[in-house]
């Protein structure tokens, strides 16, 4: 039944699968029930985006009869690297990593590969893809192109926006660099000023205070764009508390129950989704398929759907 489920999944995925010919334990026929996978993220486990990721991971683990856990480094790069090394030392069968830094994971992931451990990236890939990292495949959004899309959506708003504040949790992280790079490229092309604003990731109250302080000190701001999921859940509250909802438009990344409500009540104009459930789910599926069958997929782009008042009800049930 489990193999039939996988076959159906692969049929409907827009991917081609190839036998992995390099070294490793792929295709050794090991019983699925004894397999253990670890997914390692750079963030905190508290926000809804990662709860959705974990739900996808847990559903896939149950479907394929494997053990899967997700670990969180709480935005500490050294801790996340140590988690990868600890997973290697413990002898797990597969590891999926959020690439929060373009260079820090190259050697640890090569060590995993040399040890015969299946290794992929999820949510955030190396900016250079396979050329920059020894991972087998990635499951996630094309972050730069999604950033361009966000910038283009902002440029469509009328009257034309003049100054965009892009709120970000971890400004130096790979996801932030790529997403804001795309946003800025599109806004520059449209003649719209933008600024990347670091509001941190300590707590909702501290992020809210930093957002409100920025908006109070920058009255020229007429659009707020969120670069990540944590800021997306908070910015609506900032606009409402300051009486700016409807005066300053808002739209960016990502989607959650809170963002869905913000779209429905008009606080948020749009949000770009990246399917967090799919990222958690298919990270497990891809590791399983490599270890059990010796096959890996092509990179799986989980997309960048634009969600707004016209289609939000289609997405509401997912969050």
């Amino acid at each position: 039944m489990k193999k039939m489920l996988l076959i159906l999944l692969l049929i409907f995925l827009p991917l081609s699968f190839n036998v992995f010919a390099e070294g490793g334990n792929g295709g050794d026929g090991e019983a699925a029930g004894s397999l253990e996978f670890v997914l390692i993220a750079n963030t905190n486990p508290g926000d809804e985006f990662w709860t959705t990721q974990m739900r996808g991971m847990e559903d896939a683990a149950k479907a394929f009869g494997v053990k899967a856990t997700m670990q969180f480094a709480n935005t500490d790069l050294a801790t996340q690297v140590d988690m990868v090394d600890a997973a290697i030392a413990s002898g797990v069968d597969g590891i999926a990593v959020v690439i929060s830094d373009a260079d820090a994971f190259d050697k640890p992931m090569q060590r995993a590969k040399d040890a015969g451990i299946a290794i992929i990236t999820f949510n955030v890939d190396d900016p250079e893809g396979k050329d920059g990292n020894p991972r087998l495949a990635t499951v996630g959004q094309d972050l730069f192109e999604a950033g361009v899309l966000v910038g283009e959506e902002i440029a469509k708003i009328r009257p034309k926006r003049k100054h965009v504040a892009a709120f970000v949790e971890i400004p130096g992280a790979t996801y932030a660099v790529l997403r804001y790079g795309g946003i800025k490229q599109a806004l520059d092309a449209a003649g719209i000023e933008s600024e990347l604003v670091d509001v941190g990731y300590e707590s909702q109250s501290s992020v809210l205070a930093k957002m409100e302080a920025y908006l109070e000190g920058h009255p020229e701001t007429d659009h707020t764009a969120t670069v990540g999921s944590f800021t997306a859940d908070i910015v609506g509250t900032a606009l409402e508390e300051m009486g700016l909802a409807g005066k300053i438009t808002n739209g960016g990344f990502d989607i959650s129950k809170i963002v869905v409500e913000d779209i429905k009540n008009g606080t948020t104009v749009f949000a770009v989704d990246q399917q967090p459930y799919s990222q958690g789910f298919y990270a497990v599926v891809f590791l399983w398929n490599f270890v059990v069958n010796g096959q890996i997929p092509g990179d799986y782009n989980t997309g960048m759907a634009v969600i707004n008042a016209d289609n939000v009800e289609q997405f509401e049930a997912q969050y």
Side-chain angles (χ1 to χ4, degrees):
M1 182 64 184
K2 292 171 184 172
K3 288 190 176 181
M4 179 60 69
L5 176 59
L6 179 61
I7 291 170
L8 291 173
L9 288 168
L10 302 188
I11 288 172
F12 288 104
L13 272 176
L15 305 170
S16 61
F17 282 72
N18 304 290
V19 174
F20 182 63
E22 297 181 37
N25 61 354
D28 64 5
E30 184 175 356
S34 64
L35 298 180
E36 182 176 358
F37 303 142
V38 178
L39 283 63
I40 301 173
N42 63 313
T43 54
N44 301 328
D47 71 78
E48 188 182 329
F49 179 90
W50 290 101
T51 300
T52 305
Q53 285 255 10
M54 287 189 287
R55 182 160 50 86
M57 176 196 72
E58 290 163 357
D59 286 352
K62 183 178 180 181
F64 291 92
V66 302
K67 179 181 179 182
T69 57
M70 190 174 294
Q71 300 177 357
F72 296 88
N74 295 315
T75 73
D76 187 283
L77 179 60
T79 296
Q80 192 185 8
V81 171
D82 288 344
M83 286 177 169
V84 176
D85 284 330
I88 296 169
S90 70
V92 298
D93 300 284
I95 303 171
V97 182
V98 175
I99 301 298
S100 56
D101 181 89
D103 302 312
F105 297 94
D106 295 349
K107 291 181 179 179
M109 292 180 74
Q110 185 62 54
R111 288 195 289 271
K113 192 172 182 179
D114 292 343
I117 297 172
I119 187 84
I120 67 171
T121 66
F122 77 113
N123 183 246
V124 181
D125 191 24
D126 188 286
E128 298 180 39
K130 287 185 177 180
D131 293 334
N133 188 282
R135 53 79 166 171
L136 304 175
T138 191
V139 181
Q141 185 178 72
D142 185 323
L143 298 168
F144 185 86
E145 289 303 316
V148 171
L149 177 61
V150 167
E152 290 173 345
E153 289 296 312
I154 295 170
K156 293 177 183 178
I157 297 172
R158 293 293 180 269
K160 183 178 177 180
R161 304 295 89 181
K162 297 178 181 179
H163 181 84
V164 175
F167 292 132
V168 64
E169 307 92 339
I170 315 170
T174 305
Y175 83 92
V177 173
L178 291 172
R179 279 181 164 180
Y180 180 65
I183 292 171
K184 189 175 188 305
Q185 176 177 292
L187 293 180
D188 285 350
I192 300 172
E193 292 183 354
S194 67
E195 180 180 2
L196 186 65
V197 183
D198 179 8
V199 292
Y201 201 27
E202 294 82 15
S203 67
Q204 289 189 351
S205 59
S206 67
V207 170
L208 178 63
K210 290 176 182 178
M211 286 180 175
E212 292 181 349
Y214 179 88
L215 293 173
E216 184 174 355
H218 295 79
E220 73 277 16
T221 302
D222 52 10
H223 185 90
T224 54
T226 51
V227 182
S229 59
F230 196 68
T231 52
D233 284 348
I234 300 170
V235 67
T237 301
L239 295 175
E240 290 170 358
E241 287 188 355
M242 299 184 72
L244 296 173
K247 299 177 182 178
I248 293 178
T249 54
N250 176 66
F253 300 100
D254 284 295
I255 192 73
S256 68
K257 289 180 182 178
I258 294 172
V259 175
V260 165
E261 289 304 313
D262 286 344
I263 293 173
K264 290 170 67 176
N265 66 32
T267 303
T268 294
V269 179
F270 72 90
V272 171
D273 185 27
Q274 60 172 316
Q275 298 191 66
Y277 179 92
S278 292
Q279 292 177 8
F281 187 92
Y282 285 107
V284 173
V285 172
F286 291 171
L287 291 172
W288 181 91
N289 195 36
F290 171 70
V291 174
V292 174
N293 297 316
Q295 295 183 328
I296 61 170
D299 296 343
Y300 179 20
N301 187 336
T302 56
M304 47 186 190
V306 177
I307 302 171
N308 54 37
D310 294 332
N311 63 5
V312 66
E313 291 184 359
Q314 300 174 28
F315 294 86
E316 188 171 4
Q318 300 178 28
Y319 297 95

